Amino acid sequence: MHKPIYAAGYYPLAHDPSEWERDLKNMKDAGISLIRTAEIFCGWDQIEPVKGKYEFDWLDKFFDLCGKNEMHILLGTGTATPPYWLHELYHDVNIVDNSGKAYPNNVSYSWACLNHPGYRKEAERYLNTIVNRYKSHPALYAYQIHNEIGFPFMPHQGGSMSVYCYCDHCKARYKKWLSDRYAGDIEKLNYAYSWNATHTRYQNFNQVEPPEAAPSAWSSLTRWIDWRTFWMEGVADFVKWQNDIIKESDKEHLTTTNTFFMKSQDPFGVLMGLDPFKIAENVDVIGFDIYPGSGNKADKKPEFSSMCLDMSRSAANARGKDFWLLETESGPINGWVMGPDRNVTGSDLWRNNFDAIGHGCKLNLYQGFREWDYQPIHWGGLVDLDGQPTKRYYEAAEIGKTLGKIDDIVRTGSSQRAKAAIMISRENAIIMQGIGQEEFLRKAVTGAYTAFWNNEIPVDFITPQLIEQGKAFDYKLIYTPLMAQVTESVAARLEEFVKAGGTLVGSARLGMLGERGWLNHTIPCHSLKNVFGISSFEAESNVDPEITYNGEKFLGRWHREYIEPFEDDVKVLAKFDDESPAIVCRSYGKGAAYYIGTHSDMALVDNKSKLLETLINDIAEQKNLFGSLETGGALKKHGFDFHLVENKDNTLIIAVALPKRSEKGPDSEIIPVNVMLNRKISSASDVIGEKEIDFTQDDNGLVKLNVEVYKDRAAVILLK
């Protein structure tokens, strides 16, 4: 079966049936070969408006048209948008927030409770119906489970996100989950829930209610960890539930679902109930939605796309799976009448598509091909409201032509293997969100990523669960941004990692909290205090301390810890302005541990202080953390981001221009590039320009060539 790599969302009921075939032809002419539909807009609510009475005629016709035009369909399961009769049949099916208010119908998708037995019963019946109807159709390629799985990220009205779900069905399921978590021993739960302000002594699990207040309201932190962990696991289990139903009837076609990372309203998915690493276990391919234009993150947060794509790849690779970009913008995006947030142009399409391909993505999908009259929020479109091609359409067609030339390498290849990883933790995120300090964590993770990205060091994300599975040993370095919670078992595994030759870089407040979110008695915590050879429990807060590193002055951020070495071999690499240690390093076993007594990652975001960027570069040179691609700093110097994608026979060099670079300067520049390969190559060519490129390769495999990069489109170089 052909494996599509270029796709678009399209919703037949939004357009006149007489226009469908024309739109399909325009998509095909642009190189698009996969269409996502029926997950929303044309979902369950449109197909079964009356229980048991299906309206499949339009979808049957669309499937047949796609088959006739050799187009494939990514079929949504539609469960995000149940029909209204479900609410009439089960009055308690709507999710309920912590104030007891039910989420209203006719607002957004995901309004029905995933744990409601009536919803599950009807959804399973519907899902079996559509799978058995279309599983043998030649146009079917894969199924998308739900849509943007998790709770709604928009509140009922202005303000912060609401917390869900507190219906009776969720409460009952939660109590069962707690009983399993605490091995049926209520006294274990009572101990874990110790909280001096109000220490309820439960007699059985049926008495335990989910917390309606976050810890920032002077509530128990442990309860909050349990409650949000329950939901992160529950959402992933719901995906598995649908996947199992599909696979019972259809083992041939792939399954996927789409999720987020760094969504502005809920960056770590705490309130939406998202654990991408867990979700990835339960589908064939994990999908992510990334909108650099929404909120104009393209200009304001240039690292955003790259960071989200690296996280997407990390979640997929951790489970040995591929990832797809299941939504990205196709035109002006967001903002209602006073928008758009960004007037997306052809150069944005080139960047978004090839940035994803460069990070190892196997399929890119525009949301959508054509905009909808009834949603005047600005949501793209390669064609206009009448279906006529725009300038973006012709750029998309050039992108499709280019992807057609490299599709085999995209499908079978992989991006550069990272030697460094940034540690992120759902438990740590739950804690920081619950105590109202999530924004600090967001800045710390963003600053940490930016330090690697600016140094052009490939980097993955790793979780405590993966570390406990031994995955730390896949890397040479692990960095821990504002990792306030570290358990004893994870600390022990990190100690083993350093002993075996790894490099651990810790930052302020490392492991301040442990099991249940309670205080650890040392910072760094547990066995990590011996790895670093220091104690750093005392600190000042809300300061930006001055630090001297290698004779240069930098600013830290927020904390200034009092680092007290207790091992003689601890080396002081940087000092605060009072000459006390700011950064220390210690050899431990075959490896090394660095500790930073402030948040240099946050300082990079808030103060543009390059302390962490400089330190990471110095460590990378010592530990050989750079990839096989070297551009002489093209990202920082010229505004071009380079990637490698390779299969066993071919190598692609991909370069995209950052948005600000797309707006100024010459149309193209020549960047000298070095690539270390383990095979001899016979040719180098510019795929888009269709011209050969001069190169040299020495006996060690080092290829040297000059790459012409462009401000308004990607550069794609093929080494054969």
Side-chain angles (χ1 to χ4, degrees), residues 312-527:
S312 306
R313 186 193 64 243
S314 299
N317 287 356
R319 306 304 173 195
K321 299 179 180 180
D322 291 333
F323 83 96
W324 291 344
L325 180 58
L326 281 181
E327 288 188 25
T328 194
E329 60 242 26
S330 56
I333 188 78
N334 225 338
W336 299 99
V337 172
M338 302 310 291
D341 290 355
R342 183 175 181 83
N343 189 34
V344 173
T345 63
S347 62
D348 292 306
L349 303 188
W350 281 97
R351 180 186 318 108
N352 294 345
N353 276 279
F354 283 92
D355 200 16
I357 295 297
H359 283 84
C361 183
K362 301 300 184 184
L363 180 145
N364 295 345
L365 188 146
Y366 294 112
Q367 180 65 350
F369 178 74
R370 185 174 171 184
E371 206 166 8
W372 319 280
D373 291 350
Y374 47 70
Q375 192 180 24
I377 193 176
H378 291 292
W379 215 256
L382 297 179
V383 296
D384 67 18
L385 288 168
D386 295 314
Q388 299 304 311
T390 66
K391 290 181 180 179
R392 288 184 304 278
Y393 170 83
Y394 295 108
E395 293 289 348
E398 285 299 309
I399 293 168
K401 179 181 175 182
T402 304
L403 290 173
K405 296 176 181 177
I406 61 173
D407 62 348
D408 181 66
I409 307 172
V410 172
R411 287 196 302 266
T412 62
S414 57
S415 57
Q416 285 193 86
R417 181 184 173 276
K419 301 174 186 176
I422 296 170
M423 185 177 172
I424 57 174
S425 159
R426 70 183 186 188
E427 293 81 9
N428 191 58
I430 290 168
I431 289 168
M432 297 302 288
Q433 190 280 333
I435 60 178
Q437 296 177 347
E438 183 179 49
E439 181 63 5
F440 290 99
L441 180 60
R442 185 195 67 78
K443 289 180 179 179
V445 172
T446 299
Y449 182 84
T450 303
F452 287 93
W453 186 58
N454 282 345
N455 282 308
E456 299 182 17
I457 300 169
V459 66
D460 285 344
F461 288 88
I462 192 170
T463 67
Q465 290 77 19
L466 292 173
I467 288 170
E468 293 203 274
Q469 293 168 20
K471 297 293 186 180
F473 300 100
D474 293 344
Y475 302 96
K476 289 187 174 183
L477 179 144
I478 293 176
Y479 180 82
T480 62
L482 191 51
M483 194 55 55
Q485 193 235 24
V486 178
T487 64
E488 187 171 5
S489 59
V490 170
R493 294 297 272 169
L494 289 173
E495 180 188 17
E496 292 171 9
F497 165 71
V498 178
K499 274 186 178 178
T503 298
L504 179 64
V505 182
S507 60
R509 306 290 86 185
L510 176 61
M512 178 180 177
L513 309 177
E515 302 286 350
R516 301 178 293 273
W518 291 17
L519 279 170
N520 285 321
H521 287 207
T522 62
I523 299 177
C525 65
H526 305 301
S527 58

Side-chain angles (χ1 to χ4, degrees), residues 95-399:
I95 55 175
V96 176
D97 70 14
N98 57 333
S99 71
K101 184 176 181 180
Y103 194 79
N105 296 90
N106 308 315
V107 175
S108 182
Y109 47 85
S110 292
W111 55 265
C113 177
L114 306 184
N115 289 328
H116 192 288
Y119 170 78
R120 291 266 183 143
K121 174 186 172 184
E122 304 297 346
E124 182 173 2
R125 177 185 53 79
Y126 173 75
L127 191 49
N128 278 319
T129 300
I130 62 167
V131 169
N132 285 296
R133 188 176 189 90
Y134 295 111
K135 67 181 182 182
S136 300
H137 199 289
L140 180 65
Y141 181 66
Y143 301 95
Q144 179 184 302
I145 293 171
H146 216 73
N147 180 65
E148 295 182 337
I149 190 74
F151 291 116
F153 52 82
M154 301 303 290
H156 294 154
Q157 51 191 3
S160 59
M161 286 179 61
S162 301
V163 186
Y164 297 100
C165 174
Y166 294 81
C167 76
D168 290 341
H169 303 286
C170 290
K171 288 181 178 180
R173 196 178 184 100
Y174 179 57
K175 291 171 183 181
K176 171 65 168 60
W177 183 88
L178 283 174
S179 180
D180 293 342
R181 186 174 179 85
Y182 290 96
D185 188 340
I186 194 65
E187 290 306 325
K188 286 183 179 179
L189 179 139
N190 280 327
Y191 178 72
Y193 285 11
S194 298
W195 180 246
N196 197 43
T198 171
H199 190 176
T200 301
R201 184 77 179 274
Y202 297 108
Q203 300 305 300
N204 56 66
F205 285 95
N206 195 49
Q207 292 181 333
V208 186
E209 298 290 332
E212 295 175 1
S216 55
W218 204 243
S219 177
S220 166
L221 185 55
T222 316
R223 296 169 189 253
W224 188 250
I225 295 172
D226 282 353
W227 179 228
R228 299 328 295 167
T229 301
F230 163 75
W231 272 114
M232 287 182 169
E233 293 184 358
V235 167
D237 286 344
F238 177 75
V239 171
K240 182 180 185 302
W241 176 77
Q242 285 206 37
N243 185 78
D244 290 347
I245 292 171
I246 292 169
K247 294 299 184 181
E248 237 179 74
S249 299
D250 184 357
K251 293 181 173 61
E252 179 182 346
H253 293 95
L254 298 171
T255 58
T256 187
T257 192
N258 54 331
T259 186
F260 299 111
F261 181 65
M262 285 289 172
K263 181 75 178 173
S264 56
Q265 297 94 332
D266 189 23
F268 300 101
V270 173
L271 296 183
M272 284 187 283
L274 303 181
D275 179 352
F277 287 85
K278 186 70 175 173
I279 292 171
E281 295 178 5
N282 300 324
V283 284
D284 295 321
V285 183
I286 182 67
F288 287 83
D289 297 352
I290 301 173
Y291 286 98
S294 181
N296 199 16
K297 295 184 286 288
D299 276 339
K300 297 175 182 176
K301 301 175 181 179
E303 78 294 329
F304 173 81
S305 290
S306 188
M307 175 171 61
C308 291
L309 289 165
D310 275 334
M311 216 296 302
S312 306
R313 186 193 64 243
S314 299
N317 287 356
R319 306 304 173 195
K321 299 179 180 180
D322 291 333
F323 83 96
W324 291 344
L325 180 58
L326 281 181
E327 288 188 25
T328 194
E329 60 242 26
S330 56
I333 188 78
N334 225 338
W336 299 99
V337 172
M338 302 310 291
D341 290 355
R342 183 175 181 83
N343 189 34
V344 173
T345 63
S347 62
D348 292 306
L349 303 188
W350 281 97
R351 180 186 318 108
N352 294 345
N353 276 279
F354 283 92
D355 200 16
I357 295 297
H359 283 84
C361 183
K362 301 300 184 184
L363 180 145
N364 295 345
L365 188 146
Y366 294 112
Q367 180 65 350
F369 178 74
R370 185 174 171 184
E371 206 166 8
W372 319 280
D373 291 350
Y374 47 70
Q375 192 180 24
I377 193 176
H378 291 292
W379 215 256
L382 297 179
V383 296
D384 67 18
L385 288 168
D386 295 314
Q388 299 304 311
T390 66
K391 290 181 180 179
R392 288 184 304 278
Y393 170 83
Y394 295 108
E395 293 289 348
E398 285 299 309
I399 293 168

